[in-house]
Amino acid sequence: MAASYDAYFASGLYQSRYPHPNRRTLRFLRAALPYGGRLLDFGAGEGRYCLALAKEAGATVVAVDISPVARAHLRAAVDAAGLGETITVTDAVGADYARLVAGRGAFDVALLAFGVLGHVAGRAARLALLEELRRNLAPSGRLILGLPNAARRFRAAQAEAAAMSGLEPGDIRYARAAGSGTIDLFYHLYRRAEITAELAAAGFAIERLTIESVLPEYAVTHRPVVGWLDDRLSGMLPVDWGYGYLVVARPAARQHEDL
């Protein structure tokens, strides 16, 4: 995935598809993050959420991404915005990550935005990541994540995946056109029951499960008026009609943990 996303970010395709935050996701983040709070943005990409929150909410941010190209682009944006004192960019492994993140229980919000969790292959790996994020949240902290709705996404790819070996239920493989070539990507698509089960298994209690957007993400991030209308619709329609799910969860109390 790191190599695929290096190509994705280097091509400029990601920035052109998703140039701004989804206003609905950003609104939920603003509500959960106290002014001057600590944000762990896992899968930060080029920073469309953490840059906004550092500017608007005075957030101190650790921005994590597996793609060296994304990290380079984000560091350049952080420097250009004069936010080097508040946003620290790091890989998802290594000494810097351990120093900044691992097991400290100090973050007010952990963010897995727009499908980041779905790009992690294997249920065991996804659960391990969710459990790690839970350990890094303060007791009053919140996890906010966007997940792709299997009922609305990649139906042809889902049909093809059914005949492939080595994939778990809900897994697909797909490609994005970029210039003269394509970028191969992996995705795990979710249904509502799986979201509830996976978060519970990782030690989270869901506070809110709603629609992330009704229209595709690229539509709501290009035009403010479309984003505004989509936000209103997302609050009115049944949750399974969404293009993606938006979840707010808190660490659940667990007796005798880590004893």
Side-chain angles (χ1 to χ4, degrees), residues 23-24 27 214 227-237:
R23 61 174 287 134
R24 183 170 176 82
R27 184 160 54 79
V214 176
W228 183 88
L229 289 170
D230 188 273
D231 187 7
R232 296 303 183 269
L233 281 173
S234 296
M236 297 166 57
L237 295 175

Side-chain angles (χ1 to χ4, degrees), residues 17 19 21 59 62 64 83 89-90 102 109 117 120 129-130 140 146 173 178 193 202 219 231 239 243:
R17 286 180 64 85
V62 176
V64 181
L83 294 170
V89 183
T90 185
V109 172
L117 186 64
V120 177
L129 174 56
L130 289 170
S140 60
R173 298 191 182 279
D231 187 7
V239 66
Y243 188 74

Side-chain angles (χ1 to χ4, degrees), residues 140-166:
S140 60
R142 295 295 182 270
L143 170 70
I144 295 180
L145 69 162
L147 297 168
N149 181 1
R152 287 280 314 275
R153 307 286 303 276
F154 295 106
R155 291 181 181 176
Q158 289 185 65
E160 292 174 3
M164 294 180 184
S165 61

Side-chain angles (χ1 to χ4, degrees), residues 180-203:
S180 59
T182 60
I183 301 168
D184 294 324
L185 295 166
F186 167 90
Y187 221 179
H188 180 80
L189 307 176
Y190 278 86
R191 298 189 185 275
R192 191 175 2 159
E194 184 182 10
I195 296 171
T196 303
E198 208 160 279
L199 284 170

Side-chain angles (χ1 to χ4, degrees), residues 210-235:
T210 184
I211 292 175
E212 183 178 43
S213 67
V214 176
L215 297 174
E217 181 85 351
Y218 66 80
V220 302
T221 61
H222 274 81
R223 296 185 179 181
V225 67
V226 174
W228 183 88
L229 289 170
D230 188 273
D231 187 7
R232 296 303 183 269
L233 281 173
S234 296

Side-chain angles (χ1 to χ4, degrees), residues 21-32 48-49 53 111-114 144-146 211-213 217 220 231 245-248:
N22 179 335
R23 61 174 287 134
R24 183 170 176 82
T25 302
L26 187 57
R27 184 160 54 79
F28 274 69
L29 283 163
R30 288 171 177 149
R48 60 182 174 138
Y49 289 105
L53 290 164
L111 171 64
L112 285 166
F114 183 54
I144 295 180
L145 69 162
I211 292 175
E212 183 178 43
S213 67
E217 181 85 351
V220 302
D231 187 7
Y245 296 102
L246 183 62
V247 186
V248 180

